[in-house]
Amino acid sequence: MNKDKQAFYEVFTALQCFILAHMHKGEVNGVTATHYNLIEYIYRHDQCTGKQVAKAFNISPPAVSRQFKFLIAQGLIEQEQSPEDRRIFHLRVTGKGRFIVDNSENFRETVAQKASQNLSKTELKSLTALLSKVMDKIGTKGA
Amino acid sequence: MNKDKQAFYEVFTALQCFILAHMHKGEVNGVTATHYNLIEYIYRHDQCTGKQVAKAFNISPPAVSRQFKFLIAQGLIEQEQSPEDRRIFHLRVTGKGRFIVDNSENFRETVAQKASQNLSKTELKSLTALLSKVMDKIGTKGA
DNA sequence: GCTAATAGTTAACAAAGTTAACTATTAAGA
DNA sequence: TCTTAATAGTTAACTTTGTTAACTATTAGC
């Protein structure tokens, strides 16, 4: 591995450790980080389906199913059977769920805050563009 | 949230989802991603202790203890009681463990590979520097 | 030397992942 | 049209891995 790549590898390792460490943190606003991520996904992908969520999070349908059961019981999301294809249930967040997303100081927001505070406008734009470029390449060919 | 920060937030969200998704992937070379991360940490922090690992991964000492039990049983790491302070057990990876780290096409290496392939030398250096700057700021003040 | 602190382990439990087998529904083809 | 295959989602049984509480062994402080 060349020197530049190695340097990137190391900072990326730190980033991954940091992200993973934050998944184990306790709940904020009554929901865990995992629940929060699910709610936010549904918020940003209104009317999405369970299958779609399972794929996005790379977890099995039963895992998704159980999480939804919990989130529905908590009144954070709702399901509605599609009239066109009754196998499908469309998802949306409730007012309570939306409130949590809108008012949570979540982990990503904290990182974005730090990034925007500590980098110049040009640097932040550059970081976003570069990260995005790498993510695109990974996404298209699959890691 | 301003526009640039929002843009960063979004690409960072994609990155987080991607990292989390890869933690659920099955095993490679007979070890899961979680085990791999532990082995690699011990490899890169030779003679470290359980307490240190627990702190680095933000997991409790019993969780670390159980993982070590498994990794020792698999012959991937070894423990040795410190002669100076017999409460402490120093860790190191075995030859088998080292082989896995050296020969694993791990997730981070794949990302580093893509980054180095798809960015110019200047871009890669810039990305590393910017990421590192943000990580430092997060680390120092705690997220 | 007694007491407090530290490193690590064991036990009991909870959360969240998995696969296998199921229901309900839709699509497809003889 | 009717049977068969495929799809979306659920339930059950199990595994992994996290947690806290309580424990042992060892060291440090007065």
Side-chain angles (χ1 to χ4, degrees), chain B residues 107-124:
Chain B
F107 160 68
R108 288 189 293 277
E109 209 160 272
T110 307
V111 174
Q113 188 68 34
K114 294 281 176 188
S116 118
Q117 274 169 7
N118 293 289
L119 300 179
S120 74
K121 197 165 173 153
T122 318
E123 284 178 324
L124 183 61

Side-chain angles (χ1 to χ4, degrees), chain B residues 8-23:
Chain B
F8 174 78
Y9 182 84
E10 275 161 26
V11 67
F12 188 72
T13 299
L15 179 62
Q16 187 191 16
C17 284
F18 187 65
I19 288 177
L20 295 177
H22 275 262
M23 291 306 290

Side-chain angles (χ1 to χ4, degrees), chain A residues 8 11-13 15-16 19 108 111-112 115 119 122-140, chain B residues 4-19 107 111-112 114-116 118-120 122-132 134-135 138:
Chain A
F8 174 78
V11 67
F12 188 72
T13 299
L15 178 62
Q16 186 191 16
I19 287 177
R108 288 188 294 276
V111 174
L119 300 179
T122 318
E123 284 178 324
L124 183 61
K125 275 185 170 178
S126 170
L127 174 56
T128 305
L130 291 169
L131 259 190
S132 164
K133 196 167 172 181
V134 175
M135 287 301 295
D136 280 352
K137 291 299 171 185
I138 292 165
T140 50
Chain B
D4 296 332
K5 190 173 152 191
Q6 180 69 38
F8 174 78
Y9 182 84
E10 275 161 26
V11 67
F12 188 72
T13 299
L15 179 62
Q16 187 191 16
C17 284
F18 187 65
I19 288 177
F107 160 68
V111 174
K114 294 281 176 188
S116 118
N118 293 289
L119 300 179
S120 74
T122 318
E123 284 178 324
L124 183 61
K125 276 185 168 176
S126 170
L127 174 56
T128 304
L130 291 170
L131 259 190
S132 162
V134 175
M135 287 301 294
I138 293 165

Side-chain angles (χ1 to χ4, degrees), chain A residues 23-51:
Chain A
M23 290 307 290
H24 301 313
K25 284 278 170 71
E27 47 188 55
V28 181
N29 291 316
V31 294
T32 64
T34 309
H35 293 148
Y36 179 86
N37 287 333
L38 286 169
I39 298 167
E40 190 182 341
Y41 182 90
I42 295 166
Y43 187 32
R44 300 203 190 286
H45 299 82
D46 196 48
Q47 304 302 316
C48 66
T49 67
K51 189 173 174 56

Side-chain angles (χ1 to χ4, degrees), chain B residues 49-95:
Chain B
T49 67
K51 189 172 175 55
Q52 206 175 321
V53 172
K55 199 180 171 190
F57 286 80
N58 200 29
I59 54 181
S60 62
V64 167
S65 185
R66 198 196 302 112
Q67 292 286 8
F68 286 175
K69 209 170 176 178
F70 172 83
L71 294 174
I72 291 167
Q74 300 294 311
L76 296 166
I77 66 166
E78 287 170 341
Q79 259 181 341
E80 193 176 13
Q81 196 166 33
S82 164
E84 293 92 42
D85 184 340
R86 293 191 302 176
R87 288 171 301 183
I88 291 174
F89 291 81
H90 289 293
L91 301 159
R92 63 164 170 273
V93 299
T94 61

